[in-house]
Amino acid sequence: MSAPWWQTLKETARPQGDIRRRNASAWLPHVTELRSSMRHFADQDEVDMVVVGCGAGGATFTQRLAHAGWRVVCLEAGPFWDPERDWVSDESGSHHLYWNEPRVIGGSHPVPLGSNNSGRGVGGSMVHFAGYAPRLHPSDFRTRTLDGVGADWPLSYEELRPHYRRLEQELPVAGQFWPWGDPHPHPHPPHPVGGNGEVMLQGCAALGIEARVGPVAIVNGRFGNRPHCIYRGFCLQGCKVNAKASPLITHVPDAIVHGAEIRADAMVTRVETDPQGRRVTGVRYVRRGREHFQRAAAVAIAGYSIETPRLLLNSANSRFPDGLCNDHDLVGRYVMVQGAPQTAGRFPDEIRMYKAPPPEVSTEEFYETDPGKPYRRGYAIQTVSPLPITWAEHVAQQGHWGKDLRQRMTDYCHWATLGALCEFLPQARNRVTLADEKDRHGLPVARFDHYHCDNDDLLLEAATRTMERILRAAGATELMTIERYAHLVGGCRMGRTPEEGVVDADLRTFAIPNLFITDGSVLPTQGSANPALTIMALADRAATQLTGGTP
């Protein structure tokens, strides 16, 4: 039975001094200043852990281990970003934040890869994520038992709860009290509501649908040395003022101060093992045109749902001829994306949907399985705020062009947009394999094949109809919907046995005891929630288990 909400509030409202003791990033000098004093290891040094990827999972795992006194090197394929120099308030000028290396997509419903599901550089995709940071629901961990679909996790929501709380405080997360799933407060109050949020609140109120403000990992008020959000509307292009959380700002500074090395522009090409293939010995990587080998007592891969399976498949050896840890043909399987249709409505008054955090108001009223519906599981709805270039692409997809497109673009400020996150079910055929095409390093690139099941299509239709109802109830005079996908999880799922998953509940691979996977590829199901907070919480839990710390 869940604790009463007032007890949760008491536990959540810890003093900032406690947060500072475990992660002082918000009180430290800017990460760009700290780089000059960062510790450096030699390739021949056998570090305690080498982490591949500096996104949500990799950066959190690195910081936790460094805090425990471990010698850690985190290798990141992309650059070490300087927000002042590298990020701009411009859509087209921000494409360098995405993973733009070649990939091949296929299946009956191919998923475009790039801006809304891949990241490049220190901070990973959280550098350009929208800032939305909800928890999964307790039911997400038991979908097979409760609903007969998906898979049960090898750990429970209750085991992850303290790690959710810690990360919510450290990012920090701002929002109203959350009544869904495991009801809980957020450590910071909600942001002011913009025009898009007002539309959703009005429409939901008219229909009797509960909606709340938040939760967003965007500072509301000063937090340490980090400034308040200024509502500039470019969260998806990198937050120049550092109000929005990303590992570059929230965990990397503390990791550096505690002795970790963040080695950017280092593309890992292979995980090496001993001759018997029983233990990993380090990783090969390319930096500035030269191949290196970093020795390590253990390795953690955090390249996310496309690059992590690709790296394991490219690391085949005599013991694992089909890819490292792929003895049960699970590496690359069960990759999930969320169906993410967006429905927009035109209003007589100006809405200016970009003037607020993009996912500002949301509802999880439709998140759980409804026995009266023909589908299992559900969807969430939140405000989204496409900027003008993206908006033009949306309008053009509806067949509007030329003078008609120009006229509709002049109406941009009159539109409000809602987005759904539909829980697509894990399927073994949705998988990453190696393509025949090679990248600039001579390595086979990833191929991602994706298909819908009938349940997926039913969810998409239901979510779209609900968004239309909300916008109509708020007074929209015209509607427009585009189909799209968001987020990536799965590909190296966790399980109770080697036949069920690639890693166990502690994110340790079953096949090799000193190899870990600490990213979103380990999720067995995805819920209808943005995955960043869950990825960070899982990495925190894995590090706690490994170091013997306390959550």
Side-chain angles (χ1 to χ4, degrees), residues 252-287:
V252 166
D254 189 83
I256 292 174
V257 167
H258 282 84
E261 179 188 353
I262 311 298
R263 194 177 300 167
D265 300 304
M267 174 67 183
V268 175
T269 58
R270 183 178 177 84
V271 179
E272 294 287 4
T273 69
D274 60 18
Q276 295 76 36
R278 301 295 178 184
R279 297 184 66 83
V280 296
T281 57
V283 299
R284 297 198 179 277
Y285 68 97
V286 176
R287 195 181 198 207

PDB file of all heavy atoms in Angstrom, residues 252-287:
ATOM      1  N   VAL A 252      27.312  15.824 -14.973  1.00  0.00           N
ATOM      2  CA  VAL A 252      28.698  15.814 -15.443  1.00  0.00           C
ATOM      3  C   VAL A 252      29.611  16.706 -14.594  1.00  0.00           C
ATOM      4  O   VAL A 252      30.733  16.298 -14.264  1.00  0.00           O
ATOM      5  CB  VAL A 252      28.765  16.199 -16.935  1.00  0.00           C
ATOM      6  CG1 VAL A 252      30.199  16.520 -17.367  1.00  0.00           C
ATOM      7  CG2 VAL A 252      28.195  15.054 -17.785  1.00  0.00           C
ATOM      8  N   PRO A 253      29.203  17.915 -14.200  1.00  0.00           N
ATOM      9  CA  PRO A 253      30.115  18.725 -13.380  1.00  0.00           C
ATOM     10  C   PRO A 253      30.558  18.016 -12.098  1.00  0.00           C
ATOM     11  O   PRO A 253      31.740  18.011 -11.756  1.00  0.00           O
ATOM     12  CB  PRO A 253      29.288  19.983 -13.073  1.00  0.00           C
ATOM     13  CG  PRO A 253      28.344  20.097 -14.224  1.00  0.00           C
ATOM     14  CD  PRO A 253      27.980  18.680 -14.555  1.00  0.00           C
ATOM     15  N   ASP A 254      29.617  17.412 -11.380  1.00  0.00           N
ATOM     16  CA  ASP A 254      29.962  16.715 -10.150  1.00  0.00           C
ATOM     17  C   ASP A 254      30.834  15.504 -10.438  1.00  0.00           C
ATOM     18  O   ASP A 254      31.751  15.183  -9.661  1.00  0.00           O
ATOM     19  CB  ASP A 254      28.691  16.287  -9.417  1.00  0.00           C
ATOM     20  CG  ASP A 254      28.978  15.754  -8.022  1.00  0.00           C
ATOM     21  OD1 ASP A 254      29.122  16.585  -7.107  1.00  0.00           O
ATOM     22  OD2 ASP A 254      29.066  14.521  -7.856  1.00  0.00           O
ATOM     23  N   ALA A 255      30.580  14.818 -11.551  1.00  0.00           N
ATOM     24  CA  ALA A 255      31.415  13.673 -11.924  1.00  0.00           C
ATOM     25  C   ALA A 255      32.857  14.105 -12.146  1.00  0.00           C
ATOM     26  O   ALA A 255      33.802  13.435 -11.701  1.00  0.00           O
ATOM     27  CB  ALA A 255      30.858  13.019 -13.187  1.00  0.00           C
ATOM     28  N   ILE A 256      33.050  15.243 -12.811  1.00  0.00           N
ATOM     29  CA  ILE A 256      34.404  15.747 -13.068  1.00  0.00           C
ATOM     30  C   ILE A 256      35.108  16.098 -11.766  1.00  0.00           C
ATOM     31  O   ILE A 256      36.276  15.729 -11.546  1.00  0.00           O
ATOM     32  CB  ILE A 256      34.349  16.968 -14.014  1.00  0.00           C
ATOM     33  CG1 ILE A 256      33.909  16.529 -15.411  1.00  0.00           C
ATOM     34  CG2 ILE A 256      35.698  17.678 -14.073  1.00  0.00           C
ATOM     35  CD1 ILE A 256      33.677  17.680 -16.375  1.00  0.00           C
ATOM     36  N   VAL A 257      34.417  16.794 -10.876  1.00  0.00           N
ATOM     37  CA  VAL A 257      35.011  17.197  -9.600  1.00  0.00           C
ATOM     38  C   VAL A 257      35.421  15.969  -8.775  1.00  0.00           C
ATOM     39  O   VAL A 257      36.403  16.007  -8.027  1.00  0.00           O
ATOM     40  CB  VAL A 257      34.024  18.089  -8.820  1.00  0.00           C
ATOM     41  CG1 VAL A 257      34.462  18.258  -7.378  1.00  0.00           C
ATOM     42  CG2 VAL A 257      33.922  19.448  -9.496  1.00  0.00           C
ATOM     43  N   HIS A 258      34.706  14.869  -8.946  1.00  0.00           N
ATOM     44  CA  HIS A 258      35.027  13.659  -8.190  1.00  0.00           C
ATOM     45  C   HIS A 258      35.956  12.720  -8.956  1.00  0.00           C
ATOM     46  O   HIS A 258      36.085  11.543  -8.600  1.00  0.00           O
ATOM     47  CB  HIS A 258      33.740  12.937  -7.784  1.00  0.00           C
ATOM     48  CG  HIS A 258      33.069  13.572  -6.610  1.00  0.00           C
ATOM     49  ND1 HIS A 258      32.214  14.649  -6.724  1.00  0.00           N
ATOM     50  CD2 HIS A 258      33.157  13.312  -5.277  1.00  0.00           C
ATOM     51  CE1 HIS A 258      31.791  15.010  -5.524  1.00  0.00           C
ATOM     52  NE2 HIS A 258      32.349  14.223  -4.631  1.00  0.00           N
ATOM     53  N   GLY A 259      36.609  13.215 -10.001  1.00  0.00           N
ATOM     54  CA  GLY A 259      37.699  12.474 -10.617  1.00  0.00           C
ATOM     55  C   GLY A 259      37.373  11.702 -11.865  1.00  0.00           C
ATOM     56  O   GLY A 259      38.251  10.989 -12.384  1.00  0.00           O
ATOM     57  N   ALA A 260      36.162  11.796 -12.387  1.00  0.00           N
ATOM     58  CA  ALA A 260      35.834  11.101 -13.630  1.00  0.00           C
ATOM     59  C   ALA A 260      36.391  11.872 -14.825  1.00  0.00           C
ATOM     60  O   ALA A 260      36.484  13.100 -14.802  1.00  0.00           O
ATOM     61  CB  ALA A 260      34.326  10.943 -13.778  1.00  0.00           C
ATOM     62  N   GLU A 261      36.744  11.145 -15.868  1.00  0.00           N
ATOM     63  CA  GLU A 261      37.123  11.775 -17.130  1.00  0.00           C
ATOM     64  C   GLU A 261      35.996  11.592 -18.131  1.00  0.00           C
ATOM     65  O   GLU A 261      35.531  10.472 -18.360  1.00  0.00           O
ATOM     66  CB  GLU A 261      38.401  11.174 -17.707  1.00  0.00           C
ATOM     67  CG  GLU A 261      38.783  11.818 -19.048  1.00  0.00           C
ATOM     68  CD  GLU A 261      39.923  11.131 -19.769  1.00  0.00           C
ATOM     69  OE1 GLU A 261      40.537  10.210 -19.184  1.00  0.00           O
ATOM     70  OE2 GLU A 261      40.199  11.512 -20.927  1.00  0.00           O
ATOM     71  N   ILE A 262      35.556  12.696 -18.735  1.00  0.00           N
ATOM     72  CA  ILE A 262      34.585  12.659 -19.827  1.00  0.00           C
ATOM     73  C   ILE A 262      35.387  12.855 -21.107  1.00  0.00           C
ATOM     74  O   ILE A 262      35.842  13.973 -21.402  1.00  0.00           O
ATOM     75  CB  ILE A 262      33.504  13.751 -19.679  1.00  0.00           C
ATOM     76  CG1 ILE A 262      32.921  13.751 -18.266  1.00  0.00           C
ATOM     77  CG2 ILE A 262      32.432  13.569 -20.732  1.00  0.00           C
ATOM     78  CD1 ILE A 262      32.217  12.480 -17.850  1.00  0.00           C
ATOM     79  N   ARG A 263      35.597  11.797 -21.847  1.00  0.00           N
ATOM     80  CA  ARG A 263      36.450  11.844 -23.042  1.00  0.00           C
ATOM     81  C   ARG A 263      35.545  11.933 -24.274  1.00  0.00           C
ATOM     82  O   ARG A 263      34.973  10.944 -24.729  1.00  0.00           O
ATOM     83  CB  ARG A 263      37.345  10.611 -23.103  1.00  0.00           C
ATOM     84  CG  ARG A 263      38.491  10.699 -24.106  1.00  0.00           C
ATOM     85  CD  ARG A 263      39.371   9.449 -24.031  1.00  0.00           C
ATOM     86  NE  ARG A 263      39.961   9.278 -22.711  1.00  0.00           N
ATOM     87  CZ  ARG A 263      40.561   8.149 -22.305  1.00  0.00           C
ATOM     88  NH1 ARG A 263      40.635   7.109 -23.116  1.00  0.00           N
ATOM     89  NH2 ARG A 263      41.079   8.069 -21.091  1.00  0.00           N
ATOM     90  N   ALA A 264      35.391  13.136 -24.792  1.00  0.00           N
ATOM     91  CA  ALA A 264      34.486  13.381 -25.915  1.00  0.00           C
ATOM     92  C   ALA A 264      35.154  13.038 -27.243  1.00  0.00           C
ATOM     93  O   ALA A 264      36.364  12.788 -27.318  1.00  0.00           O
ATOM     94  CB  ALA A 264      34.046  14.840 -25.912  1.00  0.00           C
ATOM     95  N   ASP A 265      34.351  13.033 -28.307  1.00  0.00           N
ATOM     96  CA  ASP A 265      34.810  12.740 -29.674  1.00  0.00           C
ATOM     97  C   ASP A 265      35.532  11.399 -29.741  1.00  0.00           C
ATOM     98  O   ASP A 265      36.512  11.230 -30.471  1.00  0.00           O
ATOM     99  CB  ASP A 265      35.728  13.858 -30.180  1.00  0.00           C
ATOM    100  CG  ASP A 265      35.030  15.204 -30.206  1.00  0.00           C
ATOM    101  OD1 ASP A 265      33.983  15.297 -30.856  1.00  0.00           O
ATOM    102  OD2 ASP A 265      35.522  16.147 -29.552  1.00  0.00           O
ATOM    103  N   ALA A 266      35.024  10.436 -28.981  1.00  0.00           N
ATOM    104  CA  ALA A 266      35.629   9.105 -28.904  1.00  0.00           C
ATOM    105  C   ALA A 266      34.575   8.070 -29.277  1.00  0.00           C
ATOM    106  O   ALA A 266      33.726   7.722 -28.453  1.00  0.00           O
ATOM    107  CB  ALA A 266      36.179   8.845 -27.509  1.00  0.00           C
ATOM    108  N   MET A 267      34.613   7.583 -30.507  1.00  0.00           N
ATOM    109  CA  MET A 267      33.626   6.635 -31.011  1.00  0.00           C
ATOM    110  C   MET A 267      34.070   5.211 -30.706  1.00  0.00           C
ATOM    111  O   MET A 267      35.060   4.719 -31.248  1.00  0.00           O
ATOM    112  CB  MET A 267      33.456   6.814 -32.530  1.00  0.00           C
ATOM    113  CG  MET A 267      32.555   5.793 -33.183  1.00  0.00           C
ATOM    114  SD  MET A 267      30.833   5.954 -32.655  1.00  0.00           S
ATOM    115  CE  MET A 267      30.102   4.560 -33.519  1.00  0.00           C
ATOM    116  N   VAL A 268      33.340   4.563 -29.799  1.00  0.00           N
ATOM    117  CA  VAL A 268      33.686   3.190 -29.433  1.00  0.00           C
ATOM    118  C   VAL A 268      33.231   2.252 -30.547  1.00  0.00           C
ATOM    119  O   VAL A 268      32.087   2.304 -31.001  1.00  0.00           O
ATOM    120  CB  VAL A 268      33.038   2.799 -28.092  1.00  0.00           C
ATOM    121  CG1 VAL A 268      33.293   1.328 -27.770  1.00  0.00           C
ATOM    122  CG2 VAL A 268      33.583   3.684 -26.972  1.00  0.00           C
ATOM    123  N   THR A 269      34.143   1.399 -30.975  1.00  0.00           N
ATOM    124  CA  THR A 269      33.873   0.509 -32.107  1.00  0.00           C
ATOM    125  C   THR A 269      33.743  -0.952 -31.712  1.00  0.00           C
ATOM    126  O   THR A 269      33.181  -1.747 -32.473  1.00  0.00           O
ATOM    127  CB  THR A 269      34.996   0.630 -33.151  1.00  0.00           C
ATOM    128  OG1 THR A 269      36.251   0.301 -32.526  1.00  0.00           O
ATOM    129  CG2 THR A 269      35.063   2.052 -33.711  1.00  0.00           C
ATOM    130  N   ARG A 270      34.258  -1.314 -30.521  1.00  0.00           N
ATOM    131  CA  ARG A 270      34.246  -2.726 -30.156  1.00  0.00           C
ATOM    132  C   ARG A 270      34.509  -2.883 -28.663  1.00  0.00           C
ATOM    133  O   ARG A 270      35.315  -2.148 -28.087  1.00  0.00           O
ATOM    134  CB  ARG A 270      35.303  -3.493 -30.949  1.00  0.00           C
ATOM    135  CG  ARG A 270      35.343  -4.993 -30.717  1.00  0.00           C
ATOM    136  CD  ARG A 270      36.389  -5.667 -31.577  1.00  0.00           C
ATOM    137  NE  ARG A 270      36.454  -7.088 -31.294  1.00  0.00           N
ATOM    138  CZ  ARG A 270      35.661  -8.011 -31.838  1.00  0.00           C
ATOM    139  NH1 ARG A 270      34.759  -7.636 -32.728  1.00  0.00           N
ATOM    140  NH2 ARG A 270      35.766  -9.292 -31.526  1.00  0.00           N
ATOM    141  N   VAL A 271      33.826  -3.835 -28.048  1.00  0.00           N
ATOM    142  CA  VAL A 271      34.113  -4.238 -26.676  1.00  0.00           C
ATOM    143  C   VAL A 271      34.957  -5.504 -26.748  1.00  0.00           C
ATOM    144  O   VAL A 271      34.569  -6.480 -27.403  1.00  0.00           O
ATOM    145  CB  VAL A 271      32.811  -4.508 -25.880  1.00  0.00           C
ATOM    146  CG1 VAL A 271      33.142  -4.947 -24.458  1.00  0.00           C
ATOM    147  CG2 VAL A 271      31.926  -3.274 -25.869  1.00  0.00           C
ATOM    148  N   GLU A 272      36.107  -5.481 -26.089  1.00  0.00           N
ATOM    149  CA  GLU A 272      37.024  -6.624 -26.126  1.00  0.00           C
ATOM    150  C   GLU A 272      36.865  -7.482 -24.879  1.00  0.00           C
ATOM    151  O   GLU A 272      36.518  -6.994 -23.799  1.00  0.00           O
ATOM    152  CB  GLU A 272      38.474  -6.146 -26.250  1.00  0.00           C
ATOM    153  CG  GLU A 272      38.791  -5.453 -27.558  1.00  0.00           C
ATOM    154  CD  GLU A 272      38.869  -6.410 -28.746  1.00  0.00           C
ATOM    155  OE1 GLU A 272      38.595  -7.630 -28.570  1.00  0.00           O
ATOM    156  OE2 GLU A 272      39.202  -5.950 -29.854  1.00  0.00           O
ATOM    157  N   THR A 273      37.139  -8.771 -25.043  1.00  0.00           N
ATOM    158  CA  THR A 273      37.088  -9.711 -23.934  1.00  0.00           C
ATOM    159  C   THR A 273      38.400 -10.481 -23.845  1.00  0.00           C
ATOM    160  O   THR A 273      39.267 -10.382 -24.731  1.00  0.00           O
ATOM    161  CB  THR A 273      35.943 -10.730 -24.116  1.00  0.00           C
ATOM    162  OG1 THR A 273      36.266 -11.608 -25.213  1.00  0.00           O
ATOM    163  CG2 THR A 273      34.625 -10.032 -24.400  1.00  0.00           C
ATOM    164  N   ASP A 274      38.522 -11.272 -22.780  1.00  0.00           N
ATOM    165  CA  ASP A 274      39.655 -12.186 -22.696  1.00  0.00           C
ATOM    166  C   ASP A 274      39.494 -13.270 -23.764  1.00  0.00           C
ATOM    167  O   ASP A 274      38.445 -13.380 -24.403  1.00  0.00           O
ATOM    168  CB  ASP A 274      39.760 -12.786 -21.292  1.00  0.00           C
ATOM    169  CG  ASP A 274      38.534 -13.573 -20.875  1.00  0.00           C
ATOM    170  OD1 ASP A 274      37.734 -13.968 -21.756  1.00  0.00           O
ATOM    171  OD2 ASP A 274      38.349 -13.799 -19.672  1.00  0.00           O
ATOM    172  N   PRO A 275      40.523 -14.094 -24.000  1.00  0.00           N
ATOM    173  CA  PRO A 275      40.452 -15.083 -25.094  1.00  0.00           C
ATOM    174  C   PRO A 275      39.272 -16.044 -24.970  1.00  0.00           C
ATOM    175  O   PRO A 275      38.749 -16.525 -25.980  1.00  0.00           O
ATOM    176  CB  PRO A 275      41.785 -15.826 -24.976  1.00  0.00           C
ATOM    177  CG  PRO A 275      42.720 -14.828 -24.366  1.00  0.00           C
ATOM    178  CD  PRO A 275      41.874 -14.052 -23.395  1.00  0.00           C
ATOM    179  N   GLN A 276      38.841 -16.318 -23.770  1.00  0.00           N
ATOM    180  CA  GLN A 276      37.716 -17.241 -23.576  1.00  0.00           C
ATOM    181  C   GLN A 276      36.356 -16.552 -23.711  1.00  0.00           C
ATOM    182  O   GLN A 276      35.316 -17.208 -23.695  1.00  0.00           O
ATOM    183  CB  GLN A 276      37.812 -17.907 -22.197  1.00  0.00           C
ATOM    184  CG  GLN A 276      39.029 -18.805 -22.015  1.00  0.00           C
ATOM    185  CD  GLN A 276      40.306 -18.009 -21.798  1.00  0.00           C
ATOM    186  OE1 GLN A 276      40.277 -16.956 -21.147  1.00  0.00           O
ATOM    187  NE2 GLN A 276      41.423 -18.503 -22.332  1.00  0.00           N
ATOM    188  N   GLY A 277      36.365 -15.226 -23.796  1.00  0.00           N
ATOM    189  CA  GLY A 277      35.112 -14.491 -23.895  1.00  0.00           C
ATOM    190  C   GLY A 277      34.334 -14.458 -22.604  1.00  0.00           C
ATOM    191  O   GLY A 277      33.120 -14.253 -22.603  1.00  0.00           O
ATOM    192  N   ARG A 278      35.021 -14.636 -21.477  1.00  0.00           N
ATOM    193  CA  ARG A 278      34.347 -14.708 -20.181  1.00  0.00           C
ATOM    194  C   ARG A 278      34.243 -13.357 -19.483  1.00  0.00           C
ATOM    195  O   ARG A 278      33.320 -13.123 -18.705  1.00  0.00           O
ATOM    196  CB  ARG A 278      35.093 -15.685 -19.258  1.00  0.00           C
ATOM    197  CG  ARG A 278      35.193 -17.094 -19.798  1.00  0.00           C
ATOM    198  CD  ARG A 278      33.829 -17.735 -19.914  1.00  0.00           C
ATOM    199  NE  ARG A 278      33.912 -19.075 -20.476  1.00  0.00           N
ATOM    200  CZ  ARG A 278      32.864 -19.831 -20.765  1.00  0.00           C
ATOM    201  NH1 ARG A 278      31.637 -19.360 -20.554  1.00  0.00           N
ATOM    202  NH2 ARG A 278      33.010 -21.036 -21.269  1.00  0.00           N
ATOM    203  N   ARG A 279      35.208 -12.474 -19.735  1.00  0.00           N
ATOM    204  CA  ARG A 279      35.219 -11.162 -19.080  1.00  0.00           C
ATOM    205  C   ARG A 279      35.639 -10.107 -20.094  1.00  0.00           C
ATOM    206  O   ARG A 279      36.477 -10.379 -20.975  1.00  0.00           O
ATOM    207  CB  ARG A 279      36.184 -11.143 -17.884  1.00  0.00           C
ATOM    208  CG  ARG A 279      35.812 -12.097 -16.771  1.00  0.00           C
ATOM    209  CD  ARG A 279      36.740 -11.961 -15.580  1.00  0.00           C
ATOM    210  NE  ARG A 279      36.621 -10.663 -14.922  1.00  0.00           N
ATOM    211  CZ  ARG A 279      35.689 -10.371 -14.023  1.00  0.00           C
ATOM    212  NH1 ARG A 279      34.787 -11.271 -13.671  1.00  0.00           N
ATOM    213  NH2 ARG A 279      35.655  -9.179 -13.456  1.00  0.00           N
ATOM    214  N   VAL A 280      35.095  -8.894 -19.971  1.00  0.00           N
ATOM    215  CA  VAL A 280      35.544  -7.808 -20.831  1.00  0.00           C
ATOM    216  C   VAL A 280      36.849  -7.245 -20.281  1.00  0.00           C
ATOM    217  O   VAL A 280      37.098  -7.276 -19.066  1.00  0.00           O
ATOM    218  CB  VAL A 280      34.485  -6.695 -20.948  1.00  0.00           C
ATOM    219  CG1 VAL A 280      33.237  -7.227 -21.636  1.00  0.00           C
ATOM    220  CG2 VAL A 280      34.131  -6.108 -19.596  1.00  0.00           C
ATOM    221  N   THR A 281      37.675  -6.741 -21.172  1.00  0.00           N
ATOM    222  CA  THR A 281      38.976  -6.190 -20.785  1.00  0.00           C
ATOM    223  C   THR A 281      39.121  -4.718 -21.133  1.00  0.00           C
ATOM    224  O   THR A 281      40.098  -4.084 -20.728  1.00  0.00           O
ATOM    225  CB  THR A 281      40.104  -6.978 -21.469  1.00  0.00           C
ATOM    226  OG1 THR A 281      39.911  -6.942 -22.901  1.00  0.00           O
ATOM    227  CG2 THR A 281      40.115  -8.437 -21.006  1.00  0.00           C
ATOM    228  N   GLY A 282      38.155  -4.168 -21.868  1.00  0.00           N
ATOM    229  CA  GLY A 282      38.216  -2.769 -22.260  1.00  0.00           C
ATOM    230  C   GLY A 282      37.500  -2.556 -23.574  1.00  0.00           C
ATOM    231  O   GLY A 282      36.772  -3.439 -24.059  1.00  0.00           O
ATOM    232  N   VAL A 283      37.688  -1.386 -24.165  1.00  0.00           N
ATOM    233  CA  VAL A 283      37.002  -1.055 -25.420  1.00  0.00           C
ATOM    234  C   VAL A 283      37.971  -0.436 -26.412  1.00  0.00           C
ATOM    235  O   VAL A 283      38.924   0.258 -26.036  1.00  0.00           O
ATOM    236  CB  VAL A 283      35.826  -0.079 -25.183  1.00  0.00           C
ATOM    237  CG1 VAL A 283      34.786  -0.700 -24.254  1.00  0.00           C
ATOM    238  CG2 VAL A 283      36.299   1.253 -24.625  1.00  0.00           C
ATOM    239  N   ARG A 284      37.699  -0.687 -27.683  1.00  0.00           N
ATOM    240  CA  ARG A 284      38.418  -0.002 -28.763  1.00  0.00           C
ATOM    241  C   ARG A 284      37.595   1.212 -29.187  1.00  0.00           C
ATOM    242  O   ARG A 284      36.368   1.143 -29.258  1.00  0.00           O
ATOM    243  CB  ARG A 284      38.656  -0.931 -29.946  1.00  0.00           C
ATOM    244  CG  ARG A 284      39.545  -2.114 -29.601  1.00  0.00           C
ATOM    245  CD  ARG A 284      40.136  -2.797 -30.813  1.00  0.00           C
ATOM    246  NE  ARG A 284      40.991  -3.891 -30.377  1.00  0.00           N
ATOM    247  CZ  ARG A 284      42.256  -3.746 -29.990  1.00  0.00           C
ATOM    248  NH1 ARG A 284      42.811  -2.533 -30.018  1.00  0.00           N
ATOM    249  NH2 ARG A 284      42.967  -4.782 -29.604  1.00  0.00           N
ATOM    250  N   TYR A 285      38.281   2.298 -29.475  1.00  0.00           N
ATOM    251  CA  TYR A 285      37.579   3.500 -29.906  1.00  0.00           C
ATOM    252  C   TYR A 285      38.454   4.283 -30.867  1.00  0.00           C
ATOM    253  O   TYR A 285      39.683   4.122 -30.903  1.00  0.00           O
ATOM    254  CB  TYR A 285      37.184   4.364 -28.708  1.00  0.00           C
ATOM    255  CG  TYR A 285      38.330   5.010 -27.943  1.00  0.00           C
ATOM    256  CD1 TYR A 285      38.708   6.328 -28.194  1.00  0.00           C
ATOM    257  CD2 TYR A 285      39.023   4.302 -26.962  1.00  0.00           C
ATOM    258  CE1 TYR A 285      39.737   6.934 -27.493  1.00  0.00           C
ATOM    259  CE2 TYR A 285      40.056   4.895 -26.251  1.00  0.00           C
ATOM    260  CZ  TYR A 285      40.411   6.210 -26.515  1.00  0.00           C
ATOM    261  OH  TYR A 285      41.440   6.802 -25.821  1.00  0.00           O
ATOM    262  N   VAL A 286      37.800   5.123 -31.663  1.00  0.00           N
ATOM    263  CA  VAL A 286      38.492   5.971 -32.638  1.00  0.00           C
ATOM    264  C   VAL A 286      38.360   7.412 -32.182  1.00  0.00           C
ATOM    265  O   VAL A 286      37.250   7.887 -31.887  1.00  0.00           O
ATOM    266  CB  VAL A 286      37.905   5.793 -34.047  1.00  0.00           C
ATOM    267  CG1 VAL A 286      38.582   6.756 -35.025  1.00  0.00           C
ATOM    268  CG2 VAL A 286      38.067   4.355 -34.515  1.00  0.00           C
ATOM    269  N   ARG A 287      39.495   8.096 -32.132  1.00  0.00           N
ATOM    270  CA  ARG A 287      39.503   9.506 -31.754  1.00  0.00           C
ATOM    271  C   ARG A 287      40.529  10.245 -32.593  1.00  0.00           C
ATOM    272  O   ARG A 287      41.686   9.841 -32.653  1.00  0.00           O
ATOM    273  CB  ARG A 287      39.832   9.663 -30.268  1.00  0.00           C
ATOM    274  CG  ARG A 287      39.520  11.040 -29.706  1.00  0.00           C
ATOM    275  CD  ARG A 287      39.879  11.142 -28.242  1.00  0.00           C
ATOM    276  NE  ARG A 287      39.228  12.272 -27.594  1.00  0.00           N
ATOM    277  CZ  ARG A 287      39.715  12.906 -26.539  1.00  0.00           C
ATOM    278  NH1 ARG A 287      40.882  12.521 -26.005  1.00  0.00           N
ATOM    279  NH2 ARG A 287      39.057  13.922 -26.010  1.00  0.00           N
TER     280      ARG A 287
END
